Amino acid sequence: MLNAFVLSAGRLIQVPALVPEDLSRPEVLWVDMVDPTDDERELVQKVFKLELPEDEEVKDLEESARCYVDENGVHMSSFFLSHSEDEYANVTVSFLLNQGRLLTIRQDELAVFRLFRLRARVQPGFVATAQEILLAIYDAAVEYDADVLEEIYTQLDGVSRRVLDRSAEMTDEIMGQALAELAGHEDINGKVRLDLMDTRRALSFLLRSRVLATAQEGDLREVLRDLESLNNHSAFLFDKINFLMDAVMGLINLAQNKIIKIFSIASVVFLPPTLVASIYGMNFAHMPELAESWGYPAALVLMVLSGISPYWFFKRKGWL
């Protein structure tokens, strides 16, 4: 899908009908390509006289080659967070600042771009140049990452209350569910952290490329400060997740130790009666009590007493 946007009364408006003449209009500030077809790629390359990178080329680029400047303009490739069906993923988006226009290429529709388009459409003067569009997209991406981190913290707070609530019984099902939730939150937090680190790298390159005005550089530095605070918050969430993981694993170990303790005590309690029964199972010729009428009841009483004695001793010591 190929979309072009122009400024109208200070608002960023999409061009309704897209033909080569529309793309070549000087007032076109942004050309957005979402999973473009071969024909759409050819159209853009023909109109702007440049060569667009292929999807596989973008994915295979080394970290040091994801941002560069050539005769076509400033090239940048960054990770953006994608959310669909309760799954998060890092999606690569390519940017190209070319002769006062911004070209973007991506494979999926992203919430960040929807948020930016809404703001640019309803707020007059929100953006005025291609550089401002680029900065506004990155700013929206940082806000989206902040919202995801806030949601993670909220859900972790619920897990924390369930795990650390002493009045509630921690069943195997609850502990297993808590572990699954914590593992999911750690995975999402890791993807957000990767997105933040990649965004910081891209914005630092943009600052060094000196294609921004002084006021835009100030806005970029504000975004970088927000990134730094989000990185710290992400590190805090990692620590919190690891703490809750350790707490859940500790509770699981305690529950397992209780079970092992029961088996250990049962084996110790039944050991003396087993010893008594083993003694009277010996095939010696001279065991006088075996011939007595009270021999069998006495053996039973002795086995019962030998079993009760260790239980009473453990109870008195407070081991039960």
Side-chain angles (χ1 to χ4, degrees):
M1 182 170 58
L2 182 62
N3 300 312
F5 297 85
V6 299
L7 281 178
S8 177
R11 294 180 172 89
L12 197 64
I13 304 299
Q14 183 174 344
V15 177
L18 199 59
V19 294
E21 291 74 14
D22 292 328
L23 283 180
S24 60
R25 290 164 54 185
E27 61 268 25
V28 172
L29 288 182
W30 180 28
V31 177
D32 184 30
M33 290 166 276
V34 183
D35 193 15
T37 63
D38 293 339
D39 292 338
E40 291 172 340
R41 282 178 172 273
E42 289 293 333
L43 174 61
V44 173
Q45 292 178 147
K46 180 179 179 181
V47 170
F48 297 110
K49 297 179 175 58
L50 49 82
E51 185 175 352
L52 298 174
E54 297 293 336
D55 299 333
E56 294 301 325
E57 294 176 354
V58 172
K59 294 178 181 178
D60 293 340
L61 283 176
E62 298 292 338
E63 291 296 328
S64 58
R66 291 168 67 88
C67 300
Y68 60 94
V69 180
D70 61 9
E71 65 277 5
N72 293 322
V74 179
H75 299 258
M76 299 169 58
S77 296
S78 296
F79 287 130
F80 280 71
L81 202 62
S82 173
H83 182 207
S84 60
E85 297 180 358
D86 297 330
E87 291 186 2
Y88 287 86
N90 295 110
V91 177
T92 300
V93 179
S94 296
F95 298 91
L96 172 58
L97 282 172
N98 172 263
Q99 299 179 357
R101 295 186 181 92
L102 175 65
L103 280 68
T104 57
I105 308 175
R106 50 201 167 93
Q107 293 303 306
D108 302 308
E109 181 59 73
L110 301 175
V112 170
F113 282 76
R114 290 195 298 267
L115 175 61
F116 164 73
R117 290 197 302 266
L118 175 63
R119 290 177 176 176
R121 187 172 64 250
V122 301
Q123 298 181 22
F126 183 69
V127 291
T129 64
Q131 289 86 346
E132 291 181 1
I133 293 175
L134 179 61
L135 287 178
I137 291 175
Y138 273 111
D139 187 36
V142 173
E143 289 186 22
Y144 183 75
D145 291 341
D147 292 338
V148 174
L149 291 178
E150 183 179 356
E151 179 65 21
I152 292 175
Y153 180 82
T154 302
Q155 296 183 10
L156 283 179
D157 192 47
V159 176
S160 178
R161 285 196 300 268
R162 295 200 307 271
V163 171
L164 303 179
D165 187 4
R166 295 185 178 181
S167 61
E169 181 182 0
M170 289 294 292
T171 63
D172 294 341
E173 182 179 357
I174 294 177
M175 288 187 287
Q177 182 180 3
L179 280 177
E181 291 182 18
L182 291 173
H185 295 326
E186 185 174 21
D187 178 65
I188 298 172
N189 193 29
K191 291 175 181 176
V192 172
R193 193 171 181 84
L194 175 62
D195 184 47
L196 293 173
M197 293 175 61
D198 191 70
T199 299
R200 182 182 181 86
R201 177 194 55 78
L203 292 180
S204 297
F205 167 80
L206 185 61
L207 186 62
R208 294 193 304 270
S209 64
R210 301 187 181 280
V211 297
L212 303 178
T214 303
Q216 294 170 352
E217 289 182 356
D219 294 338
L220 189 149
R221 288 189 172 90
E222 289 290 336
V223 177
L224 288 175
R225 281 191 283 270
D226 292 339
L227 280 173
E228 186 64 29
S229 64
L230 289 180
N231 272 322
N232 294 334
H233 188 54
S234 177
F236 162 75
L237 290 179
F238 266 122
D239 293 338
K240 187 176 180 66
I241 290 172
N242 290 331
F243 165 74
L244 291 175
M245 279 278 195
D246 292 340
V248 174
M249 293 303 299
L251 292 174
I252 292 175
N253 290 334
L254 286 176
Q256 292 177 343
N257 289 338
K258 288 181 180 179
I259 297 174
I260 295 174
K261 181 180 179 181
I262 292 173
F263 282 108
S264 300
I265 292 174
S267 62
V268 173
V269 168
F270 285 103
L271 183 59
T274 304
L275 177 61
V276 174
S278 299
I279 291 174
Y280 285 105
M282 296 177 181
N283 295 321
F284 290 110
H286 300 287
M287 297 184 73
E289 61 271 24
L290 294 181
E292 300 294 336
S293 59
W294 50 266
Y296 176 65
L300 293 178
V301 172
L302 183 59
M303 284 189 288
V304 172
L305 292 177
S306 63
I308 293 175
S309 297
Y311 179 82
W312 172 81
F313 179 76
F314 292 157
K315 195 74 173 178
R316 185 175 181 182
K317 288 290 186 178
W319 296 347
L320 296 176

